[in-house]
């Protein structure tokens, strides 16, 4: 009997039911879209934040106190410690290897350039192939780690030994342009070399006053084959929290469980820790300017999406509820008749709730499908990449939709079942 | 007559005006709150991005220092730097500090000493991880802050005393380490003292090498600011720090895009929800319309009546919604940015427009149905 009544009600009031289901579906679309995007936005924004440059710096553990003022080195090169270039792949072979977006080593040596003394000659990777056991095509260099470097002209080839980038400030002072030739003399070893200026480099940092060439060239000129002075690593990390702050103060004080959680979470501090474990004489430190800044901003964006999502959710829920409310109050007469024919209040109540579950369920499913599509659209438009789908959103959204429909039905249904059949049938309510 | 019909239909017993009004008001509230928030987001996020530190540098014009000047008058007068800093609008300037570098001998070896304005530095470097505490005042000449690596190599802890000695000038002083800095950058190898102390130790009274600024401006905006400052102060070179200012612009673009899309999605869906309610409301009045037609109302009169009704409800709903929405925007602003959201008049016509369009679209379908109503059938109760 119950199912018969349910079917009847759907067949009779088809149009209204469809309208209600469409409303639920729209709300569900909205919820799915926001949910999917907010889950992925941290990761997506972390990738965008890579434009601020690398967030971990690796230097030799026993490096003497560097006396560097404004990019000029006051310490002699002799007796300094270096990292081995051969150790670089190990840094990409840690637990969080997939979070390491790129790495770029540097080695600098003071050179004379015409009249100018103590100009930094910086050697680095631009976009160099660095085959790894599980990724033979891996390429890395400053073009990945320092997205803010801007080159007017062409980037040098990593295997060419006669191309160089010249910082804009230096170039302006010496009147150098693209295609000019510069010759430099190493102040310590006396080796000289000449380069073709392939492009002018603007970074807003010390590189503006320096000459940047492939790493191998500097190693050869300074007589430091296979050595690098420091490595900048760009890693995808999650914002710091209490646990990582505790770990940063003293790893020893963590309990075993806390240590495991910390170690297996992509905090900038735990990634730095794992790099130190992988390379024996390395000291890896977060560049807090980038690491902490990222955390602050990503946290804000997530909070923003969350509150916007909540506001939208409330308004959608109200829309659905009022819709259900309307469809039920309209059927007062029908209900009066049912009661007059002997239906108990509970049965009628159940009938409405059953309807709400069906309408909510169908609307939720349709809305979920639409929402996934919409989320992909947003991802492609804003970030140029697809959004990862969290399948848990499916049951979640359907449940929420049913709850919204039920919430909208419960109150009016109760009010109506309480009516006297006579009053309703007579047209007085 | 029309007026009476209107009043009657809006206040009559069968009208469910409350429901429609509520849903329109909620819709308008969300529209206006989101619009307010969206209009403010660029400036708010830009302030958040200041967590990345200084994005602007003001230095003496290159070459001035070398122009035959003795080393004792290196850098430039701090008054000139301060005047240049003061030319940045106060509501745009987050923090600023002059920097004066010099080599000093500590107990265990040489180190780079930096003279700074501590209150300004604190706002420039919110990302510093400090053990111990910050130095709060600009003229503290008994305390210093030291970089983590320098502290480790000199075996210094918070609370230790250390002597700063400058042989060339024959100046020395003893300071207490108040905080150890973890920045992950060159600051880890430097020791920071108050600017007046550094000037005295280095024999460079009233001078500084350059100043760093944290300004709410990104990309082209920062370039424009630099150009203005260089024009006003011909003896300084002002330039944005590309790493920060350029990236700020890029990130803000993404956030703007994301918010615009999310807001658009929400607007469309809220509109449709309001729509559904209104559709149901008009549809319910079919019998009444039938009766009116039977009594001689023509189609045009009925259309006009439904539209006038919708508009009236919409107006009331929007007024309610604007009030609620303003409150909602403040709640959102406080929740996310701990700041009030500015009220912008443009929100009013925008919300009104969106809501009216939504309501009128909602009215079109049922009105079409209503004019087709055959009075006889309706009156018979079909």
């Amino acid at each position: 009997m119950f199912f018969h009544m349910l079917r009847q009600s759907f067949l009779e009031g088809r149009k209204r039911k469809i309208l209600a289901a469409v409303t639920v579906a729209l709300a569900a679309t909205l919820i799915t879209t926001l949910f999917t995007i907010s889950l992925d936005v941290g990761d997506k924004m972390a990738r965008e934040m890579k434009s601020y440059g690398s967030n971990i710096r690796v230097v030799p553990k026993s490096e003497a106190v560097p006396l560097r003022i404004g990019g000029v080195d006051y310490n002699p090169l002799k007796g300094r410690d270096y990292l081995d270039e051969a150790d670089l792949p190990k840094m990409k072979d840690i637990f969080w290897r997939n979070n390491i977006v790129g790495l770029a080593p540097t080695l600098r040596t003071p050179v004379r350039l015409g009249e100018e003394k103590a100009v930094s000659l910086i050697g680095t990777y631009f976009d160099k192939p660095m085959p790894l056991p599980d990724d033979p095509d891996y390429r890395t260099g400053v073009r990945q780690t320092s997205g803010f470097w801007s080159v007017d002209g062409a980037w040098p080839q990593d295997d060419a030994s006669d191309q160089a980038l010249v910082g804009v400030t230096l170039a302006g002072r010496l009147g150098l342009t693209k295609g000019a030739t510069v010759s430099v003399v190493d102040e310590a070893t006396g080796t000289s070399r000449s380069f073709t200026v392939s492009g002018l480099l603007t970074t807003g940092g010390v590189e503006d006053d320096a000459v940047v060439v492939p790493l191998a060239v500097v190693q050869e000129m300074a007589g430091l084959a296979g050595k690098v002075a420091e490595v900048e690593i760009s890693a995808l990390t999650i914002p710091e929290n209490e646990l990582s702050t505790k770990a940063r103060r003293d790893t020893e004080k963590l309990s075993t469980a806390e240590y495991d959680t910390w170690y297996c979470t992509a905090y900038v501090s735990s990634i730095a820790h794992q790099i130190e474990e992988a390379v024996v004489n390395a000291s890896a430190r977060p560049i807090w300017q980038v690491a902490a800044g990222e955390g602050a901003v990503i946290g804000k964006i997530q909070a923003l999406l969350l509150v916007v999502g909540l506001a939208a959710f409330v308004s959608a829920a109200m829309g659905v509820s009022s819709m259900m409310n309307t469809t039920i109050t309209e059927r007062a007469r029908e209900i009066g008749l049912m009661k007059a024919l002997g239906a108990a209040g509970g049965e009628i109540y159940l009938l409405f709730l059953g309807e709400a579950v069906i309408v909510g369920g169908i609307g939720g499913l349709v809305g979920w499908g639409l929402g996934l599509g919409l989320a992909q659209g947003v991802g492609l438009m804003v970030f140029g990449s697809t959004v990862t789908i969290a399948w848990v959103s499916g049951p979640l959204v359907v449940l929420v939709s049913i709850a919204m429909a039920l919430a909208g039905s419960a109150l009016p249904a109760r009010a109506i079942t309480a009516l006297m059949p006579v009053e309703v049938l007579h047209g007085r309510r | 007559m029309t007026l009476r019909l209107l009043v009657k239909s809006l206040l009559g017993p069968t009208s469910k005006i409350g429901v429609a009004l509520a849903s329109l008001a909620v819709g308008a509230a969300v529209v206006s709150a989101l619009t307010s928030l969206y209009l403010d987001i660029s400036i708010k996020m830009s302030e958040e991005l200041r967590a990345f530190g200084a994005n602007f540098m003001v230095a003496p014009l290159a070459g001035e220092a070398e122009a035959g000047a003795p080393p004792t008058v290196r850098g430039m007068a701090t008054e000139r730097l301060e005047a240049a800093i003061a030319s940045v609008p106060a509501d745009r300037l987050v923090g600023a500090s002059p920097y004066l570098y010099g080599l000093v001998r500590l107990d265990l070896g040489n180190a780079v000493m930096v003279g700074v304005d501590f209150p300004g530095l604190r706002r420039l470097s919110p990302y510093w991880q400090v053990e111990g505490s910050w130095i709060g005042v600009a003229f503290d000449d008994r305390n210093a802050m030291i970089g983590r690596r320098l502290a480790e190599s000199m075996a210094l802890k918070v609370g230790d005393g250390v002597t700063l000695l400058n042989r060339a000038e024959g100046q020395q002083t003893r300071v207490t380490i108040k905080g150890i800095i973890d920045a992950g950058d060159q600051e880890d190898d430097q020791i920071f003292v108050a600017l007046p102390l550094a000037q005295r130790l280095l024999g460079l009274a009233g001078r500084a090498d350059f100043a760093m600024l944290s300004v709410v401006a990104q990309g082209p905006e920062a370039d424009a600011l630099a150009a203005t400052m260089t024009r006003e102060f011909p003896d300084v070179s002002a330039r944005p720090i590309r790493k920060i200012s350029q990236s700020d612009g890029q990130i803000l673009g993404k956030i703007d895009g994301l918010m615009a899309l999310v807001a658009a999605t929400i607007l469309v869906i809220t509109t449709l929800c309001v729509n559904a309610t209104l559709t149901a409301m008009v549809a319910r009045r079919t019998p009444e319309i039938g009766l009116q037609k039977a009594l001689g109302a023509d189609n045009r009169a009925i259309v006009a009546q439904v539209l006038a009704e919708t508009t009236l409800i919409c107006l009331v709903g929007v007024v309610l919604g604007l009030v609620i929405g303003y409150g909602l925007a403040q709640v959102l602003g406080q929740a996310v940015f701990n700041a009030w959201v500015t009220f912008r008049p443009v929100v009013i016509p925008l919300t009104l427009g969106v809501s009216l369009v939504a309501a009128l679209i909602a009215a079109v379908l049922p009105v079409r149905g209503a004019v087709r109503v055959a009075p006889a059938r309706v009156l018979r109760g079909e």
Side-chain angles (χ1 to χ4, degrees):
Chain A
M1 182 61 193
F2 174 71
F3 287 103
H4 185 74
M5 271 162 62
L6 201 58
R7 207 177 64 212
Q8 201 67 20
S9 133
F10 268 88
L11 286 179
E12 287 299 309
R14 225 172 357 206
K15 224 169 146 187
R16 221 170 281 141
K17 294 287 177 308
I18 290 173
L19 203 56
V22 166
T23 315
V24 175
L26 289 173
T29 309
L30 171 63
I31 296 166
T32 313
T33 311
L34 285 173
F35 183 75
T36 312
I37 292 178
S38 64
L39 279 189
D40 217 30
V41 78
D43 208 33
K44 288 262 183 292
M45 284 315 287
R47 265 180 208 281
E48 295 296 331
M49 295 285 177
K50 290 295 132 238
S51 58
Y52 284 97
S54 50
N55 48 5
I56 297 177
R57 173 173 293 131
V58 187
V59 293
K61 204 170 253 171
S62 52
E63 194 194 0
V65 177
L67 295 176
R68 211 186 278 156
I69 300 182
V72 181
D73 221 324
Y74 286 90
N75 256 19
L77 289 174
K78 247 181 280 170
R80 282 257 211 116
D81 265 342
Y82 293 96
L83 293 166
D84 282 323
E85 194 183 353
D87 281 343
L88 292 186
K90 288 189 195 162
M91 298 179 187
K92 177 78 178 136
D93 198 30
I94 57 168
F95 181 77
W96 284 107
R97 74 187 65 135
N98 291 328
N99 279 38
I100 294 196
V101 179
L103 47 88
T106 50
L107 180 65
R108 41 181 97 207
T109 182
V111 292
R112 281 200 306 278
L113 200 165
E115 296 290 295
E116 298 263 335
K117 287 188 174 176
V119 172
S120 271
L121 181 71
I122 303 174
T124 189
Y125 288 172
F126 295 103
D127 183 25
K128 191 182 163 76
M130 192 175 91
L132 299 170
D134 55 350
D135 185 4
D137 297 326
Y138 186 69
R139 302 175 74 87
T140 188
V142 285
R143 296 182 71 168
Q144 271 126 45
T145 57
S146 307
F148 58 93
W149 281 26
S150 115
V151 170
D152 173 22
W155 288 86
Q157 298 297 313
D158 278 293
D159 47 8
S161 57
D162 57 349
Q163 292 179 348
L165 291 177
V166 177
V168 276
T169 318
L170 183 66
R173 214 156 54 223
L174 299 176
L176 292 173
T177 50
K178 275 176 282 183
T181 309
V182 289
S183 44
V184 301
V185 183
D186 191 293
E187 289 192 336
T189 60
T191 333
S192 69
R193 266 290 176 75
S194 46
F195 303 103
T196 310
V197 180
S198 73
L200 301 184
L201 175 67
T202 314
T203 70
V206 289
E207 292 85 1
D208 282 1
D209 242 324
V211 180
V212 185
V213 294
L215 180 68
V217 177
V218 179
Q219 287 175 338
E220 201 185 314
M221 285 184 74
L224 292 165
K227 301 288 182 192
V228 299
E230 59 179 47
V231 183
E232 297 221 339
I233 294 182
S234 184
L236 292 179
T237 59
I238 65 160
E240 298 282 294
N241 62 9
E242 256 173 59
L243 176 63
S244 61
T245 314
K246 203 170 156 193
R248 198 172 61 230
R249 293 232 174 83
D250 198 353
T251 333
E252 304 291 314
K253 283 203 185 111
L254 297 179
S255 70
T256 318
E258 280 178 330
Y259 183 84
D260 287 347
T261 316
W262 172 71
Y263 193 90
C264 297
T265 311
Y267 297 122
V268 67
S269 52
S270 64
I271 292 182
H273 178 76
Q274 287 164 17
I275 291 171
E276 285 184 356
E277 284 180 336
V279 183
V280 182
N281 69 337
S283 152
R285 285 178 176 282
I287 300 175
W288 287 111
Q289 180 175 22
V290 179
E294 272 180 18
V297 171
I298 292 178
K300 286 292 169 203
I301 295 173
Q302 271 172 335
L304 184 68
L305 267 187
L306 189 78
V307 294
V308 167
L310 268 181
F313 176 75
V314 170
S315 82
M318 280 196 69
V320 172
S321 297
S322 65
M323 183 71 211
M324 295 305 283
N325 196 324
T326 319
T327 58
I328 288 180
T329 34
E330 270 172 17
R331 292 169 59 193
R333 269 165 170 276
E334 191 187 320
I335 295 154
L337 188 58
M338 283 198 306
K339 279 186 114 174
L341 292 176
E347 275 178 293
I348 297 172
Y349 202 52
L350 215 62
L351 177 69
F352 283 127
L353 296 192
E355 276 181 38
V357 169
I358 293 175
V359 167
I362 293 175
L365 264 182
V366 173
W368 181 59
L370 288 176
L372 288 185
L374 201 57
Q376 296 300 353
V378 172
L380 282 176
M381 266 202 259
V382 178
F383 299 106
S385 61
T386 52
V387 179
T388 324
I389 294 172
W391 296 107
V392 64
S393 63
L396 207 77
V397 166
V398 171
L399 278 181
V400 167
S401 304
I402 292 177
M404 282 192 303
L406 278 179
S409 311
L411 270 183
R414 219 167 67 205
I416 281 179
T417 47
L419 290 174
M420 296 298 285
V422 179
E423 282 185 339
V424 181
L425 287 181
H426 193 250
R428 276 187 286 146
R429 294 204 261 159
Chain B
M1 178 68 189
T2 320
L3 201 65
R4 220 170 70 205
L5 269 176
L6 203 63
V7 172
K8 197 114 197 217
S9 80
L10 285 179
L11 300 178
T14 51
S15 111
K16 279 283 167 204
I17 185 172
V19 174
L21 207 58
S23 80
L24 253 173
V26 170
V30 171
V31 172
S32 67
L34 276 180
T35 318
S36 301
L37 195 65
Y38 177 73
L39 293 175
D40 254 16
I41 204 149
S42 219
I43 194 94
K44 290 267 188 302
M45 272 325 277
S46 188
E47 279 162 20
E48 295 297 328
L49 287 171
R50 295 292 87 250
F52 281 97
N55 58 351
F56 217 78
M57 182 173 173
V58 178
L61 214 54
E64 194 214 57
E66 291 115 288
T72 42
V73 282
R74 211 182 73 207
M76 70 186 303
T78 42
E79 296 94 67
R80 291 299 293 168
L81 283 178
E82 269 155 22
I85 293 171
S87 73
V88 179
D91 58 333
R92 285 302 182 99
L93 186 68
V94 176
S97 168
Y99 283 71
L100 176 64
Y101 286 89
L103 273 180
V104 288
R105 176 144 185 97
L106 302 187
D107 300 342
L108 287 176
N110 284 336
V112 176
M113 177 183 70
V114 192
V116 290
D117 173 64
F118 279 110
L121 185 69
R122 181 164 194 172
R123 284 191 291 275
L124 278 184
S125 317
Y127 55 89
W128 279 9
Q129 315 286 314
V130 175
E131 184 192 327
S133 60
W134 276 89
I135 294 173
V137 289
F139 47 82
D140 187 337
D141 59 359
R142 284 195 301 262
N143 293 304
M145 295 180 78
I146 190 168
R148 163 80 56 198
R149 283 206 300 188
L150 182 61
E152 274 166 14
S153 65
M154 300 275 169
L156 289 169
K157 286 190 196 60
V158 174
D160 286 357
V162 66
T163 305
L164 303 173
L165 170 70
N166 179 4
R167 277 227 187 82
E169 292 291 318
Q171 294 277 355
Q172 69 168 16
T173 190
R174 197 159 174 81
V175 292
T176 309
I177 304 295
K178 205 171 175 197
I180 294 179
I181 302 153
D182 215 340
D185 215 333
Q186 58 191 19
E187 291 89 346
D188 285 359
D189 302 308
Q190 298 168 347
I191 180 163
F192 291 83
V193 298
L195 184 63
L197 177 61
Q199 288 170 338
R200 186 157 59 78
L201 282 172
L202 300 172
L204 289 166
R207 311 291 287 184
D209 284 319
F210 54 80
M212 297 284 233
L213 282 70
S214 181
V215 182
V216 180
Q218 5 81 22
E221 231 182 312
D223 290 335
L225 185 65
T228 319
M229 203 185 282
T230 311
R231 205 166 46 239
E232 274 179 47
F233 299 89
D235 52 341
V236 303
S237 106
R239 62 191 168 99
I241 297 171
R242 218 187 128 73
K243 175 178 178 177
I244 302 299
S245 74
Q246 203 67 23
S247 307
D248 277 4
Q250 211 169 322
I251 296 294
L252 274 180
K254 292 288 172 194
I255 297 175
D256 261 4
L258 183 68
M259 276 306 289
L261 275 174
V262 169
T265 318
I266 293 177
L267 296 197
V268 169
I269 292 173
T270 317
T271 310
L272 289 173
C273 279
V274 170
N275 245 330
T277 316
L278 280 172
T279 310
M281 197 185 82
V282 179
R284 201 179 44 244
R285 300 210 5 247
T286 317
E288 208 177 300
I289 293 170
L291 185 59
Q292 282 179 20
K293 279 183 113 173
L295 293 177
D298 61 354
N299 283 345
R300 185 181 291 189
I302 288 174
V303 171
Q305 193 205 337
V306 175
L307 291 188
E309 232 182 274
T310 321
T311 313
L312 199 65
I313 298 180
C314 188
L315 283 178
V316 180
V318 167
V319 171
L320 275 177
L322 279 173
V323 176
I324 304 171
Y326 182 65
L328 186 63
Q330 300 309 337
V331 172
L332 296 185
Q334 285 292 332
V336 183
F337 300 109
N338 301 321
W340 301 110
V341 172
T342 325
F343 175 75
R344 287 166 208 268
V346 69
V347 171
I348 297 177
L350 212 112
T351 312
L352 189 63
V354 170
S355 306
L356 260 182
V357 169
L360 291 181
I361 293 176
V364 165
L365 272 181
V367 162
R368 277 184 43 178
V371 294
R372 276 205 219 102
V373 163
R377 296 187 56 165
V378 176
L379 291 180
R380 225 180 63 203
E382 274 176 32

